[in-house]
Amino acid sequence: MTTGNSNLPLVWDFIDRKKEVFTELADRVWETPETCYMEKLSAAAHREMLEAQGFRITEDVAGIPTALIGEAGEGGPVIAFLGEYDALAGLSQKAGLSSHEPLVAGANGHGCGHNLLGSASLLAATALKDWLEKTGTPGRVRYYGCPAEEGGAAKAFMVRSGAFDDVDIAISWHPSNFAGVQRETSLANCRVDFTFTGRAAHASAVPELGRSALDAVELMNVGVNYMREHMPSDCRIHYAVLDTGGISPNVVQAHAKVRYVVRAPELPGLLALIERVKKVAEGAALMTETQVESTILAGVSNLIVNAPLMDVMQDVWNSMGPPAFDDADIAFAEKIRATLTPGDVAASWNQERLEARDIPLADFVLPPHNEVRQMGGSTDVGDVSWVVPTVQAYGATLAVGTQLHTWQVVAQGKSPLAHKGMVSAAKAMAATGLAAMTSDQLREAAWADLKKRRRGQEYTSPIPSGAEPPVAAMTVK
């Protein structure tokens, strides 16, 4: 299925007219990096841009202070663009440098490029809005300002609240080493806190009176490690001890807390694996004569790809080509590449199963492939993809070999090469949105593909009923 749309030059022209102000938005968000559910300044910047561009605005979506929706147009189909603007902890870095030099030691930084992600998605939404107004076409464009993708599952809460119930097509993107269509699925993911409560005692005088919550955490971790041999090889479990019960070794620790992240290729397998982890926690409590409580903080579903939408986006990329990087971009990318290991560079090529080339910036569009591959991470875009046909682009905003969640991403986040990749991704998304807006056939094919891939399964939120968005910083993804 191809776009064949004569309106593409017009919608791309709308992007070119406004790319400077959206580049400024991306840089503004880069300068105020905020983590999970704490993105007050970043959300405010996006709200100001929505207002300036003439969108109708809804705030506090799903009870989340930093989630918002901008809508424009009337009647017709609803095309949604998903934006993000959360940062990561501990990745502060000066822009434009090819050496590790934090702005503020230990502070936040946009190590996943979400400053670019939100701005490009809003630019694409604005271009399609402008096209609707220019042509008088019925239809609605929505921009979803989504916080807390890094571990907070905001989109899952937004889906559960019904924010996507009337959306026809959803479109997003992510900064990358390459330009093209994202064709990989993601892992379903759940984040669970286990809190153990024991009994304090003098650890030397009367240790027999104590019941150590810290012992329970340690035993749980050992038990889960033994369980790894007996679970599917494509599942993942990580943990971080949040509270060891104090700093006094001569006191038996009465309280301790550990956070687990459990991942599986699909939601049903995830839920089964979580129950096994809970049993290990209960066993640790039994062995130590402590009590344990588990609290699910966040959960996301696996990502469902959509072949008709991917085919259209591939045609768009093939007609556009990669960003037009200049000599200065290449020179900066070479400096960044000098800070990377051979393993970093090899990983980027291997992730796309491409033969490695000695180039600092991608000068091609990713070729299509028919197999559905699994990426190692998780994303709350997965929950959207269960209820709405969803497609995502990759934008070439990074030197080849740059790995996400690193200082090198932050260093490149305000560079001209990143801005060019961002604008290119906006054009790919806007053109795909235009095709979906104007083609009943494409929308029908996308919905048919989603229903086929769900294999009769209805969406079930991985977040328990009654659980509220954890409006607090949680920075481990």
Short mmCIF file of all heavy atoms in Angstrom, two decimals, residues 46-52 54-59 68-71:
data_model
loop_
_atom_site.label_atom_id
_atom_site.label_comp_id
_atom_site.label_asym_id
_atom_site.label_seq_id
_atom_site.Cartn_x
_atom_site.Cartn_y
_atom_site.Cartn_z
N HIS A 46 5.46 22.52 26.37
CA HIS A 46 4.63 21.93 25.32
C HIS A 46 3.23 22.53 25.33
O HIS A 46 2.62 22.72 24.26
CB HIS A 46 4.59 20.41 25.49
CG HIS A 46 5.81 19.73 24.94
ND1 HIS A 46 5.79 18.96 23.81
CD2 HIS A 46 7.10 19.74 25.36
CE1 HIS A 46 7.01 18.52 23.55
NE2 HIS A 46 7.82 18.98 24.49
N ARG A 47 2.72 22.82 26.50
CA ARG A 47 1.41 23.45 26.57
C ARG A 47 1.43 24.83 25.92
O ARG A 47 0.51 25.19 25.17
CB ARG A 47 0.94 23.58 28.03
CG ARG A 47 -0.51 24.01 28.15
CD ARG A 47 -0.88 24.57 29.50
NE ARG A 47 -2.30 24.85 29.58
CZ ARG A 47 -2.93 25.84 28.96
NH1 ARG A 47 -2.21 26.69 28.21
NH2 ARG A 47 -4.23 26.00 29.06
N GLU A 48 2.47 25.59 26.17
CA GLU A 48 2.59 26.92 25.57
C GLU A 48 2.64 26.82 24.04
O GLU A 48 2.02 27.63 23.33
CB GLU A 48 3.84 27.61 26.09
CG GLU A 48 3.75 28.04 27.55
CD GLU A 48 5.07 28.55 28.08
OE1 GLU A 48 5.97 28.84 27.25
OE2 GLU A 48 5.23 28.66 29.31
N MET A 49 3.34 25.82 23.53
CA MET A 49 3.42 25.66 22.08
C MET A 49 2.07 25.24 21.51
O MET A 49 1.65 25.74 20.45
CB MET A 49 4.49 24.63 21.72
CG MET A 49 4.69 24.47 20.22
SD MET A 49 5.23 25.98 19.38
CE MET A 49 6.97 25.98 19.83
N LEU A 50 1.38 24.35 22.19
CA LEU A 50 0.04 23.95 21.74
C LEU A 50 -0.89 25.15 21.65
O LEU A 50 -1.63 25.33 20.68
CB LEU A 50 -0.54 22.89 22.68
CG LEU A 50 0.00 21.47 22.55
CD1 LEU A 50 -0.42 20.64 23.76
CD2 LEU A 50 -0.51 20.81 21.26
N GLU A 51 -0.84 25.98 22.68
CA GLU A 51 -1.68 27.17 22.72
C GLU A 51 -1.31 28.13 21.58
O GLU A 51 -2.19 28.68 20.89
CB GLU A 51 -1.55 27.85 24.07
CG GLU A 51 -2.54 28.98 24.30
CD GLU A 51 -2.51 29.50 25.72
OE1 GLU A 51 -1.49 29.29 26.42
OE2 GLU A 51 -3.49 30.13 26.14
N ALA A 52 -0.01 28.31 21.37
CA ALA A 52 0.45 29.23 20.32
C ALA A 52 0.04 28.74 18.93
O ALA A 52 -0.20 29.55 18.02
CB ALA A 52 1.96 29.39 20.40
N GLY A 54 -2.69 27.02 18.28
CA GLY A 54 -4.13 27.01 18.12
C GLY A 54 -4.82 25.70 18.43
O GLY A 54 -5.94 25.46 17.95
N PHE A 55 -4.21 24.87 19.27
CA PHE A 55 -4.85 23.62 19.68
C PHE A 55 -5.77 23.86 20.88
O PHE A 55 -5.51 24.72 21.72
CB PHE A 55 -3.79 22.59 20.09
CG PHE A 55 -3.06 21.96 18.94
CD1 PHE A 55 -1.95 22.59 18.38
CD2 PHE A 55 -3.46 20.73 18.43
CE1 PHE A 55 -1.25 22.00 17.32
CE2 PHE A 55 -2.77 20.13 17.38
CZ PHE A 55 -1.66 20.77 16.83
N ARG A 56 -6.82 23.06 20.97
CA ARG A 56 -7.65 23.00 22.18
C ARG A 56 -6.94 22.07 23.15
O ARG A 56 -6.52 20.97 22.77
CB ARG A 56 -9.04 22.47 21.85
CG ARG A 56 -9.77 23.30 20.79
CD ARG A 56 -11.18 22.75 20.52
NE ARG A 56 -11.17 21.43 19.90
CZ ARG A 56 -11.10 21.21 18.59
NH1 ARG A 56 -11.01 22.24 17.74
NH2 ARG A 56 -11.12 20.00 18.09
N ILE A 57 -6.84 22.47 24.41
CA ILE A 57 -5.95 21.77 25.34
C ILE A 57 -6.74 21.13 26.48
O ILE A 57 -7.63 21.74 27.07
CB ILE A 57 -4.89 22.74 25.91
CG1 ILE A 57 -4.05 23.32 24.76
CG2 ILE A 57 -4.00 22.03 26.93
CD1 ILE A 57 -3.15 24.46 25.19
N THR A 58 -6.39 19.89 26.78
CA THR A 58 -6.90 19.18 27.96
C THR A 58 -5.71 18.84 28.84
O THR A 58 -4.73 18.24 28.37
CB THR A 58 -7.63 17.88 27.57
OG1 THR A 58 -8.72 18.20 26.71
CG2 THR A 58 -8.16 17.16 28.81
N GLU A 59 -5.78 19.20 30.10
CA GLU A 59 -4.68 18.94 31.03
C GLU A 59 -5.06 17.88 32.06
O GLU A 59 -6.21 17.44 32.11
CB GLU A 59 -4.28 20.24 31.73
CG GLU A 59 -3.75 21.30 30.77
CD GLU A 59 -3.28 22.56 31.48
OE1 GLU A 59 -4.13 23.39 31.82
OE2 GLU A 59 -2.06 22.70 31.68
N LEU A 68 -0.94 15.86 28.97
CA LEU A 68 -1.87 16.78 28.33
C LEU A 68 -2.19 16.32 26.92
O LEU A 68 -1.47 15.51 26.33
CB LEU A 68 -1.31 18.20 28.31
CG LEU A 68 -0.08 18.49 27.45
CD1 LEU A 68 0.00 19.97 27.12
CD2 LEU A 68 1.20 18.06 28.16
N ILE A 69 -3.29 16.83 26.39
CA ILE A 69 -3.71 16.55 25.02
C ILE A 69 -4.05 17.86 24.34
O ILE A 69 -4.74 18.72 24.91
CB ILE A 69 -4.95 15.63 24.98
CG1 ILE A 69 -4.63 14.25 25.57
CG2 ILE A 69 -5.45 15.46 23.54
CD1 ILE A 69 -5.85 13.35 25.71
N GLY A 70 -3.56 18.04 23.12
CA GLY A 70 -3.96 19.15 22.27
C GLY A 70 -4.72 18.61 21.08
O GLY A 70 -4.28 17.64 20.45
N GLU A 71 -5.85 19.22 20.75
CA GLU A 71 -6.67 18.75 19.63
C GLU A 71 -7.01 19.91 18.72
O GLU A 71 -7.22 21.05 19.17
CB GLU A 71 -7.95 18.10 20.14
CG GLU A 71 -8.84 17.56 19.02
CD GLU A 71 -10.10 16.87 19.53
OE1 GLU A 71 -10.00 15.68 19.86
OE2 GLU A 71 -11.16 17.54 19.60
#
